[in-house]
Amino acid sequence: MKQSNWTIMGKGGVGKSFCTWLLAQYFIRENRKTYFADTDPTNATFSAYPEINAKHINITDEELNIDQSSFDKLVNDIASHDAYSVIDTGSPSFLPMMNYLSQNGTFDALMEAGHQVIVHAPLVGGPAKRDTLQGIYGILENTNAQMVIWQNDYFGAVMKDGMDFADTDLYGKFGD
């Protein structure tokens, strides 16, 4: 199976690298051949774990615009890998990366190459809830990849207008 797992969120400090680390631990435990990459331009947390051996790939230039050659090399590495990949992205590159992914049909190209593409996004309660909901909505509106939402209650319950996330209009629209 070819599977490409991307952990994406525009808000920092919400558990993105932790989710990626859990995915990596699962694939390592299951002894699955996996390509690991960390593209966070400011906090390369995921690649700091030596046991995982994730490549740190700088996909942005000094102004945090996407460096097309670096990003395309990352995508080519993923496409040529005949098993699993786990990519941790950084919140500073969220908007330019989402724009690049959308404009270039990156996930569509990976799917055409036989990869199942899954976007993993943390959703938190508390003060950052609105930001993470907006990030999830932006991802859902701009990709057709499958999505796994990691509900993180550390900062407070993940509720919207007194409802669990699974009961919201957003989940109703994209829940399948």
Side-chain angles (χ1 to χ4, degrees):
M1 167 174 253
K2 296 179 184 181
Q3 187 183 81
S4 180
N5 295 274
W6 297 68
T7 308
I8 302 174
M9 179 48 64
K11 177 76 176 127
V14 296
K16 194 169 47 275
S17 293
F18 180 69
C19 294
T20 309
W21 179 79
L22 289 173
L23 284 168
Q25 292 301 309
Y26 171 77
F27 287 122
I28 290 168
R29 189 188 84 218
E30 294 296 311
N31 204 27
R32 296 195 179 161
K33 183 180 168 192
T34 309
Y35 171 84
F36 298 113
D38 185 343
T39 68
D40 193 320
T42 56
N43 297 305
T45 305
F46 184 52
S47 60
Y49 299 109
E51 303 81 15
I52 294 172
N53 198 28
K55 292 181 181 179
H56 184 258
I57 301 168
N58 193 0
I59 61 167
T60 58
D61 61 20
E62 302 82 40
E63 289 85 35
L64 292 178
N65 296 312
I66 294 298
D67 177 333
Q68 294 179 6
S69 63
S70 294
F71 194 85
D72 291 347
K73 181 181 179 336
L74 167 68
V75 173
N76 286 334
D77 287 349
I78 293 165
S80 65
H81 190 74
D82 61 352
Y84 299 87
S85 59
V86 176
I87 298 87
D88 188 24
T89 66
S91 56
S93 60
F94 176 76
L95 289 176
M97 185 187 64
M98 289 304 302
N99 187 42
Y100 193 80
L101 287 168
S102 178
Q103 286 184 351
N104 293 289
T106 304
F107 289 160
D108 293 331
L110 284 169
M111 287 185 253
E112 288 172 14
H115 287 258
Q116 176 186 24
V117 177
I118 303 171
V119 173
H120 299 263
L123 173 63
V124 300
K129 175 179 60 181
R130 192 180 120 248
D131 293 337
T132 57
L133 279 169
Q134 286 176 335
I136 287 170
Y137 185 77
I139 295 166
L140 289 166
E141 283 288 313
N142 290 292
T143 71
N144 63 346
Q146 294 177 10
M147 187 169 209
V148 173
I149 297 175
W150 296 66
Q151 206 166 296
N152 179 352
D153 292 324
Y154 182 79
F155 299 107
V158 180
M159 306 280 285
K160 185 170 190 305
D161 301 326
M163 294 185 291
D164 287 326
F165 176 69
D167 297 325
T168 64
D169 291 340
L170 178 64
Y171 188 87
K173 181 176 180 181
F174 294 103
D176 63 331

